[in-house]
Amino acid sequence: MRLAGRLKKTFGSATTRRSLVSLTTFVVLWELSARLKIPVLGAVPSPAETAACLVQEIFRAEYWRSWGGSLARILIGFAAAQLLGVPLGLFLGWSRRAREVIFPLVEIMRPVPPLAWVPVSVIFWPSAELSMIFVTFLGAFFTVILNIVEGIAAVDERYLRAAASLGAGKSGLFWHVLLPASLPSVLTGMTVGMGITWCVVVAAEMIATDTGLGFLTWRGYVAGEFPLIVVGMLSIGLAGWLSSGLIRRVGLHFAPWLKN
Amino acid sequence: MDALEPVRAADVADGPPEEAIGRLTAEAVGKTYVEQDRSREVLKDLHLTLEAGRVTVVMGPSGCGKSCLINLLAGYEPPTAGRVVLDGRPTAGPGPDRLAVFQETALFPWLTAFENVAYGPKIRKELKGAQLESAVMELLRLVGLEDFRDKYPAQLSGGMQRRAELVRALANRPKVMLLDEPFRGLDAMTRGLMRDVCLTIFRRHRGSSLFVTSELDEGLALADQLAIFTNRPAKVKKLLDVPFERPRTDQLRSSPAYLALKAEALELLHEEAVKSFKTGAIESADFVEAYGALA
Ligand SMILES: Nc1ncnc2c1ncn2[C@@H]1O[C@H](COP(=O)(O)OP(=O)(O)OP(=O)(O)O)[C@@H](O)[C@H]1O
Ligand SMILES: [Mg+2]
């Protein structure tokens, strides 16, 4: 009875119901287009085939090694980008002089797509692994810096004035106002950066290595195992979704006032 | 009777008795903004004294420079002429001795109601631990927010935010409270209740207060003196004494003395509104309408 209540609460909510409807419709249409051999779309493996392949893959160590490989690259690259990018972004947002010196450099580097860095980083870094991590790092690094700098520039003067009146010194203004006020933009930067990171890592894995979800997908293509391609794609989608969700969770933990 | 008396320096533990705390004087203050090739003189040769333990209400045409004056008094901007003197000493920059509350909330969204109120005394290391806790809770109780101590500003209604911000200022025992239309934008009902909250706050506040409003009834409910500003460039057109005992009852509000004062204020306001209208200020249309309705 209690369980039924819980289930009803989860699945009874309008939002959940709508998501379920949309997902179900998608799968049904997908299956139909495969069955009816609709041109172009019909060539995609059907949900049934994909599910069969997925079940097979789940019991293979290699599938999980692909997850592990991509996750490790993302984790290291993304974490390094935050570790360097957040303080640098805060510093640039804080100091006008630093902004004037360093920002033009950022502006020039930023539009270069991270993937265009692949050849250079393969040459520079001793291993393919390091070069991929580096490219992943770049994907998130500039995004987080730009978001923080813009976030700090947009902090409402009211809060700075109030803090100054209440007795905050220069460091107080930074720690008590600029930092918390720019947290939403830090989180946006991280979420966008995480998206970019997945794009980059998947593409890099197709080019430069033999592990990871990107490689898994690529292998499906090379070997002509089409259901595996779809399994790879779905896995990447799931991984991206999970990591964005995690950022949101962690973010709300540190910035509880942003709830609702 | 004594509950109605403003709390004066004598009631406050620190500071010798009878010494006036929070006497703030604007001496020949002027403010001119220069934008590219044209300059705009907002305040000119303005003299105004806020006496300790007294509430000065400022009214005047929209756009005449009331907020500008508050910014100067709070130290957010320097005057271009004259000076601001607090208890004999010229002021420079903002400080916890002069706290301003504006129409738009400046509560920190990332702090709870409790943390907001505690912020000033805490960072200045004046209070901590149990002392801070009880001082803050006492203030929250004063304005009926004790059950909302752990809510963030976004979770509070507009009226609650205003109350929290008023006691956030009060927690620092400022010498001067500067309130710039703090109840603008609240519905009429809330506004009426906030007026009472404000009276409570003023009773607790030892220093001087400046309250800007566009509602004459609100102004007359709170004021010890009413300063009517001229059209821009603003200065004090007339300083009216409001000698009535508080709270000001319905009975008082229908007394001849009160009505005469109100009529005088209204006429002065109207005069300036018409001038500002004639000089082509667009905002003045609203002003004439607002005061015309009262007349
Ligand atoms: N930073 C600024 N630069 C240029 N002009 C300014 C600046 N701040 C205020 N002013 C001008 O000063 C004048 C007075 O503005 P202020 O906000 O003080 O009026 P107010 O009396 O508070 O009006 P209201 O009743 O609408 O609140 C306005 O004409 C405004 O354009
Ligand atoms: Mg104003």
Side-chain angles (χ1 to χ4, degrees):
Chain A
M1 204 53 222
R2 292 256 305 275
L3 183 72
R6 287 257 308 267
L7 281 178
K8 196 171 174 198
K9 206 170 160 193
T10 314
F11 291 99
S13 96
T15 319
T16 321
R17 227 169 26 236
R18 281 184 203 123
S19 329
L20 284 178
V21 167
S22 110
L23 280 175
T24 317
T25 316
F26 174 73
V27 172
V28 168
L29 286 178
W30 178 10
E31 183 72 45
L32 275 180
S33 68
R35 295 254 170 115
L36 300 176
K37 305 242 175 308
I38 290 174
V40 186
L41 278 181
V44 176
S46 73
E49 282 175 276
T50 309
C53 176
L54 181 65
V55 170
Q56 215 175 31
E57 287 295 324
I58 283 177
F59 292 104
R60 280 182 155 173
E62 208 221 313
Y63 175 72
W64 294 110
R65 267 203 300 280
S66 305
W67 271 84
S70 295
L71 283 178
R73 282 168 203 135
I74 293 274
L75 202 69
I76 298 171
F78 184 80
Q82 305 311 315
L83 242 51
L84 289 174
V86 172
L88 185 58
L90 288 172
F91 177 60
L92 289 181
W94 175 239
S95 153
R96 172 199 283 265
R97 189 163 307 161
R99 207 156 50 237
E100 283 167 358
V101 173
I102 301 178
F103 218 59
L105 212 63
V106 177
E107 287 285 15
I108 290 181
M109 305 289 248
R110 187 182 60 103
V112 179
L115 282 181
W117 283 84
V118 170
V120 172
S121 50
V122 168
I123 295 170
F124 278 145
W125 294 93
S127 72
E129 197 56 52
L130 279 175
S131 62
M132 272 187 303
I133 290 174
F134 177 67
V135 177
T136 312
F137 162 84
L138 286 177
F141 182 64
F142 292 117
T143 315
V144 76
I145 290 185
L146 279 171
N147 269 281
I148 294 182
V149 171
E150 276 168 23
I152 289 188
V155 170
D156 201 311
E157 198 182 12
R158 276 180 292 156
Y159 303 131
L160 293 167
R161 285 183 163 183
S165 276
L166 292 169
K170 239 190 156 188
S171 78
L173 291 185
F174 179 81
W175 292 106
H176 305 151
V177 180
L178 290 184
L179 189 67
S182 61
L183 261 184
S185 359
V186 174
L187 286 179
T188 311
M190 284 190 178
T191 313
V192 176
M194 184 52 91
I196 298 177
T197 303
W198 273 104
C199 289
V200 172
V201 93
V202 164
E205 284 169 351
M206 290 183 175
I207 303 170
T209 184
D210 53 4
T211 56
L213 289 172
F215 175 75
L216 184 82
T217 311
W218 188 248
R219 201 196 63 194
Y221 168 70
V222 172
E225 288 181 49
F226 293 156
L228 185 58
I229 300 181
V230 182
V231 167
M233 287 169 63
L234 288 178
S235 308
I236 293 164
L238 184 67
W241 180 68
L242 288 176
S243 29
S244 306
L246 189 68
I247 290 180
R248 212 183 116 73
R249 268 286 173 81
V250 174
L252 286 184
H253 177 76
F254 284 106
W257 66 93
L258 296 176
K259 275 178 203 154
N260 319 317
Chain B
M1 178 63 218
D2 58 356
L4 308 177
E5 285 278 327
V7 177
R8 285 166 197 275
D11 303 334
V12 177
D14 54 355
E18 292 310 320
E19 188 203 14
I21 292 182
R23 188 171 199 273
L24 187 75
T25 313
E27 293 178 355
V29 159
K31 182 76 184 176
T32 304
Y33 290 103
V34 184
E35 294 167 321
Q36 280 120 41
D37 48 342
R38 58 193 212 105
S39 70
R40 162 174 285 209
E41 189 172 34
V42 178
L43 305 176
K44 186 181 187 178
D45 195 32
L46 187 143
H47 291 265
L48 182 65
T49 299
L50 313 181
E51 297 288 354
R54 285 168 67 85
V55 180
T56 303
V57 169
V58 166
M59 298 187 70
S62 177
C64 75
K66 304 178 295 286
S67 300
C68 177
L69 176 67
I70 296 234
N71 280 330
L72 300 189
L73 297 181
Y76 296 141
E77 290 174 36
T80 42
R83 57 180 199 158
V84 177
V85 178
L86 175 60
D87 289 336
R89 252 170 268 146
T91 61
D97 49 1
R98 284 156 290 135
L99 291 180
V101 174
F102 292 92
Q103 176 198 339
E104 295 216 307
T105 176
L107 287 172
F108 302 124
W110 45 87
L111 298 184
T112 61
F114 180 92
E115 292 164 338
N116 262 290
V117 177
Y119 182 77
K122 189 175 160 192
I123 59 160
R124 295 197 310 280
K125 302 193 172 66
E126 286 172 3
L127 290 174
K128 60 181 169 196
Q131 264 187 318
L132 181 65
E133 166 95 18
S134 71
V136 171
M137 284 314 290
E138 205 245 301
L139 287 173
L140 287 175
R141 259 192 301 277
L142 186 70
V143 292
L145 287 178
E146 66 271 28
D147 294 337
F148 296 88
R149 54 168 290 167
D150 295 325
K151 296 280 185 232
Y152 290 101
Q155 301 169 310
L156 302 177
S157 72
M160 289 177 177
Q161 291 179 3
R162 287 4 318 272
R163 281 181 269 159
E165 201 166 346
L166 287 173
V167 288
R168 177 174 77 172
L170 198 60
N172 303 279
R173 323 230 284 137
K175 294 178 178 167
V176 187
M177 294 254 278
L178 304 163
L179 310 177
D180 189 1
E181 303 203 47
F183 308 145
R184 192 161 164 176
L186 297 179
D187 61 89
M189 183 77 169
T190 314
R191 208 169 163 141
L193 296 172
M194 288 305 294
R195 191 181 297 175
D196 298 339
V197 170
C198 230
L199 286 172
T200 312
I201 299 264
F202 288 147
R203 271 205 297 279
R204 278 287 300 267
H205 171 51
R206 56 185 178 152
S208 61
S209 312
L210 188 154
F211 188 98
V212 175
T213 179
S214 55
E215 304 247 334
L216 185 53
D217 282 320
E218 188 171 275
L220 287 176
L222 300 172
D224 289 305
Q225 60 172 0
L226 178 62
I228 295 184
F229 277 19
T230 65
N231 190 18
R232 204 177 57 231
K235 58 179 158 195
V236 179
K237 179 184 174 79
K238 181 116 195 218
L239 206 55
L240 298 170
D241 201 36
V242 189
F244 312 113
E245 168 181 305
R246 277 177 293 218
R248 290 164 185 166
T249 56
D250 284 341
Q251 196 189 349
L252 172 78
R253 276 202 297 269
S254 50
S255 70
Y258 182 94
L259 289 173
L261 183 68
K262 184 173 169 180
E264 186 181 359
L266 208 53
E267 195 180 320
L268 292 164
L269 287 165
H270 203 272
E271 250 173 57
E272 286 309 310
V274 170
K275 268 187 221 159
S276 118
F277 187 73
K278 276 187 185 145
T279 55
I282 300 162
E283 310 101 334
S284 58
D286 306 337
F287 185 83
V288 173
E289 205 177 307
Y291 288 103
L294 282 172

